[in-house]
Amino acid sequence: IDTLQVGELARKLRKETSEIIKKLMSLGIMATINQELDKDTIELVAAEYGVEVEEEILVDETVFETYEVEDEEKDLQVRPPVVTIMGHVDHGKTTLLDSIRNTKVTAGEAGGITQHIGAYQIEYNGKKISFLDTPGHAAFTTMRARGAQVTDITILVVAADDGVMPQTVEAINHAKAAEVPIIVAVNKMDKEAANPDRVMQELTEHGLVSEAWGGDTIFVNVSALKGEGIDDLLEMIQLVSEVEELKANPNRSAAGSVIEAQLDKGRGPVATLLVQNGTLNVGDSIVVGHTFGRVRAMVNDLGRRVKTAGPSTPVEITGLNDVPQAGDQFMVFTDEKKARQVGEARFNKHQEAMRKESSKLNLDDLFSQI
Ligand code: GTP
Ligand code: MG
């Protein structure tokens, strides 16, 4: 970073702009709020407040601040919900995701080769719903650990013949910690041994009381295997989604989170991004975690090339200089130079951290040899 405006510096130092202007005057510098300050001046002022200027940190904050730009109410539009599915091993998470996807792919898209990008979108009653199909717990723990909050609604799958199990409780705790609403899908209702009342009873002990019993948790009985109850479940997702009033501004540059990423032999770094605000376009200058580049190509969950992706849309992109991590945040810069500047600073910082990490490991190895 070479320069900062007076107002920006004030924000970073958490001071009033007027105070910074006064401070500058006391240092013999006459400045207005929009005046660009050079690095030396920034350091001088920061030192007055006992703050040491670290180049990368300033750059990092720049990213964060832009990401946090608030949209005006009038610019906000309803966006689709982003749903994750959680539950105990073998209770039917994957079968449910497959069942939803297979039955709800719109007619025009049938026969399209679906490809695994870690997330997909369906349409029900003319409205879209996005599903993350990364294993629910991993999605929650790794993504949240990295500061990403991508889930709007959690479907808690509980097998009706097995009831509440340790990972069911874990899932409830994750969702509660993230303050994400839970819809219970009581699965495997086709089974002889299915006992939905027992599931309700057991979940009551964990604070999830069915509406049928005077609580406010929605329970839906389904058979993921037979595709039964899926419509009810989707309707409930849309109901909760409406209550949550999920909104975003499609008419701004995009920001969001990485769902998954890997290195592809032919295409280079490939990342599935969830657009959480704004609209992502091919050709956009983008910073993704410690990586950056220009969006070369975008592919949707049906393997089709797309040019734009709006709020709550998962999309796979190429064009980055390195592989980002799940849970990393991304944002688009309208100024390509700035994207490069921020991207390079983050990239270098990451490389430095990796170097430190590996030299530490080597030292540890060395000591353990002695
Ligand atoms: P993990 O990913 O290992 O945690 O399991 P999962 O929760 O994804 O469960 P999965 O969908 O793999 O289902 C586990 C087993 O339960 C499979 O053999 C499914 O065929 C079966 N199964 C899932 N849903 C139903 C259902 O509605 N009825 C019946 N009878 N079997 C089901
Ligand atoms: Mg599974």
Side-chain angles (χ1 to χ4, degrees):
I1 199 163
D2 312 315
T3 64
L4 268 184
Q5 290 184 349
V6 172
E8 288 172 335
L9 178 60
R11 235 188 354 258
K12 283 183 196 303
L13 292 170
R14 295 191 169 75
K15 302 284 173 204
E16 294 290 321
T17 306
S18 57
E19 184 181 333
I20 298 298
I21 291 176
K22 268 190 216 143
K23 183 62 80 185
L24 282 163
M25 274 167 71
S26 76
L27 295 166
I29 302 163
M30 296 294 162
T32 58
I33 180 165
N34 291 324
Q35 189 151 333
E36 298 279 346
L37 302 175
D38 61 20
K39 207 171 154 228
D40 288 347
T41 313
I42 294 167
E43 274 171 356
L44 203 64
V45 176
E48 290 281 315
Y49 295 103
V51 176
E52 224 176 288
V53 177
E54 274 185 53
E55 217 160 312
E56 278 94 344
I57 288 176
L58 279 178
V59 172
D60 265 354
E61 278 182 7
T62 312
V63 170
F64 199 51
E65 273 170 21
T66 325
Y67 182 70
E68 297 236 300
V69 165
E70 283 212 16
D71 294 295
E72 287 185 52
E73 191 62 38
K74 66 171 171 53
D75 296 327
L76 294 176
Q77 293 177 25
V78 173
R79 65 168 176 84
V82 178
V83 181
T84 42
I85 299 196
M86 301 211 282
H88 194 71
V89 178
D90 274 357
H91 278 199
K93 301 177 290 291
T94 304
T95 310
L96 183 60
L97 274 164
D98 288 348
S99 177
I100 292 169
R101 180 167 196 164
N102 292 336
T103 52
K104 301 303 166 195
V105 172
T106 50
E109 288 164 341
I113 303 159
T114 56
Q115 67 172 48
H116 179 84
I117 67 167
Y120 66 80
Q121 201 171 54
I122 60 149
E123 210 171 285
Y124 185 70
N125 283 340
K127 289 185 206 137
K128 289 172 175 163
I129 305 174
S130 298
F131 289 88
L132 299 188
D133 68 2
T134 40
H137 295 274
F140 254 76
T141 44
T142 56
M143 305 252 268
R144 285 196 70 233
R146 302 185 63 75
Q149 170 103 5
V150 295
T151 308
D152 298 310
I153 298 169
T154 288
I155 305 294
L156 179 68
V157 178
V158 187
D161 62 337
D162 205 20
V164 171
M165 288 300 189
Q167 281 176 41
T168 315
V169 178
E170 236 175 72
I172 295 170
N173 292 337
H174 282 308
K176 278 189 181 162
E179 296 180 19
V180 173
I182 297 172
I183 296 175
V184 179
V186 182
N187 190 32
K188 306 199 184 185
M189 285 299 291
D190 59 288
K191 280 196 155 183
E192 199 82 51
N195 187 350
D197 280 348
R198 192 184 114 207
V199 174
M200 273 193 198
Q201 178 59 52
E202 289 171 347
L203 283 178
T204 301
E205 289 159 28
H206 298 279
L208 297 179
V209 183
S210 155
E211 287 180 313
W213 290 1
D216 56 7
T217 304
I218 297 172
F219 280 63
V220 184
N221 291 342
V222 302
S223 165
L225 195 67
K226 304 227 144 103
E228 286 164 12
I230 304 296
D231 283 359
D232 293 339
L233 182 61
L234 296 177
E235 248 152 58
M236 289 308 146
I237 290 171
Q238 291 185 332
L239 188 82
V240 173
S241 169
E242 269 162 41
V243 172
E244 296 287 307
E245 296 190 46
L246 307 170
K247 287 180 177 170
N249 173 9
N251 300 309
R252 57 168 276 175
S253 48
S257 301
V258 177
I259 303 302
E260 56 180 42
Q262 66 277 328
L263 191 63
D264 183 278
K265 267 191 188 145
R267 296 184 294 161
V270 174
T272 297
L273 306 181
L274 177 73
V275 179
Q276 295 180 271
N277 202 0
T279 296
L280 185 64
N281 305 288
V282 169
D284 278 349
S285 296
I286 192 169
V287 176
V288 187
H290 72 280
T291 76
F292 64 99
R294 284 185 75 184
V295 180
R296 196 189 310 141
M298 294 205 289
V299 174
N300 70 10
D301 56 323
L302 296 164
R304 299 229 163 88
R305 274 185 173 248
V306 290
K307 289 210 163 71
T308 64
S312 301
T313 308
V315 73
E316 191 187 74
I317 71 154
T318 53
L320 300 175
N321 69 329
D322 195 9
V323 183
Q325 286 175 275
D328 274 347
Q329 281 165 18
F330 78 81
M331 70 170 304
V332 163
F333 286 78
T334 41
D335 179 354
E336 193 187 334
K337 241 172 69 191
K338 182 135 187 184
R340 171 160 287 273
Q341 200 178 38
V342 172
E344 273 171 1
R346 291 190 140 213
F347 186 73
N348 292 338
K349 194 174 167 187
H350 180 78
Q351 298 288 92
E352 180 67 19
M354 298 289 278
R355 249 196 316 275
K356 273 191 193 142
E357 191 62 28
S358 69
S359 63
K360 203 166 74 195
L361 285 179
N362 290 341
L363 270 181
D364 285 347
D365 285 350
L366 202 68
F367 284 125
S368 66
Q369 305 274 313
I370 296 168

